[in-house]
Every structure is written in structure tokens, then in C-alpha cells.
């Protein structure tokens, strides 16, 4: 059995490491939101119309698409469903 001595310090994460971990964690969300934005523009609809189709307020969608906030689990599901539904419709044309 090994014991750590009290004066031994464990390596600490730097603030850069924490920031990198946070960026990596949010990357799938950023990618999905970029796809949603591109698809919205391709379809030629407004953020208000997209928000109505997704089922969230215009303000919430605006904050997601502009990167000020990221959707949590239910929001991610709504965006993913919207993208999947309209991607199929757009590619079948």
C-alpha cells in the first residue's frame, strides 16, 4: 500500500487546461449550431421562423446561434431533430 506524504503536491490543472477541456466539451454543440445556421440560411427562413419550428423562443434561439449560450440536453435534442428533418428534405430536392 502506498501513501502520499502531506508535503507532496498533486499536479494541478492550469486555467488553460480547464479552458481547453471546456472548448472540447462544447465542440459538438458548436458544430450542430453551425449546421443549423447554414441550413436556416439555405432554406431562406428567419430566426423567428426557425424558432417557431424548433419550439423555442426567438430570443433563446438567437442566443444559441450567436454563441452567447449553448443549449442543454432538451435544447440539443430539439435542434438535432430540426436539423435532421430539414436536412433530409433539402437533400431530396
Amino acid at each position: 500500500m502506498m501513501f502520499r506524504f502531506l508535503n507532496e503536491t498533486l499536479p494541478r490543472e492550469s486555467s488553460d487546461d480547464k479552458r481547453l477541456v471546456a472548448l472540447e466539451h462544447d465542440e459538438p454543440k458548436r458544430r450542430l449550431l453551425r449546421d443549423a445556421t447554414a441550413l436556416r440560411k439555405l432554406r431562406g427562413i428567419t430566426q423567428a421562423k426557425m424558432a417557431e419550428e424548433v419550439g423555442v423562443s426567438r430570443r433563446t434561439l438567437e442566443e444559441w446561434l450567436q454563441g452567447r449560450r449553448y443549449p442543454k440536453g432538451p435544447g440539443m435534442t430539439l435542434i438535432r431533430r430540426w436539423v435532421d428533418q430539414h436536412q433530409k428534405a433539402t437533400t431530396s430536392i
Side-chain angles (χ1 to χ4, degrees):
M1 191 182 293
M2 292 185 62
F3 295 99
R4 288 203 172 268
F5 293 100
L6 294 177
N7 61 356
E8 244 182 275
T9 59
L10 295 173
R12 295 183 183 238
E13 284 190 42
S14 71
S15 61
D16 290 339
D17 291 339
K18 289 178 184 176
R19 185 171 179 267
L20 182 59
V21 168
L23 284 172
E24 288 174 348
H25 180 263
D26 289 335
E27 183 56 31
K29 293 177 184 178
R30 274 196 294 281
R31 198 173 312 124
L32 180 63
L33 291 171
R34 278 193 306 260
D35 291 349
T37 300
L39 187 56
R40 179 187 69 79
K41 289 178 181 179
L42 183 66
R43 291 185 60 215
I45 63 173
T46 64
Q47 285 184 351
K49 176 66 176 164
M50 180 180 170
E52 182 182 314
E53 291 178 1
V54 171
V56 297
S57 74
R58 182 201 52 81
R59 179 70 179 176
T60 297
L61 183 73
E62 178 183 297
E63 291 198 0
W64 290 348
L65 295 180
Q66 292 179 0
R68 290 192 295 263
R69 287 182 24 209
Y70 292 113
K72 303 270 191 252
M76 286 294 293
T77 301
L78 290 172
I79 294 285
R80 192 172 292 115
R81 284 181 184 167
W82 184 87
V83 167
D84 290 345
Q85 176 185 4
H86 294 289
Q87 234 173 9
K88 290 174 187 169
T90 304
T91 56
S92 66
I93 294 176

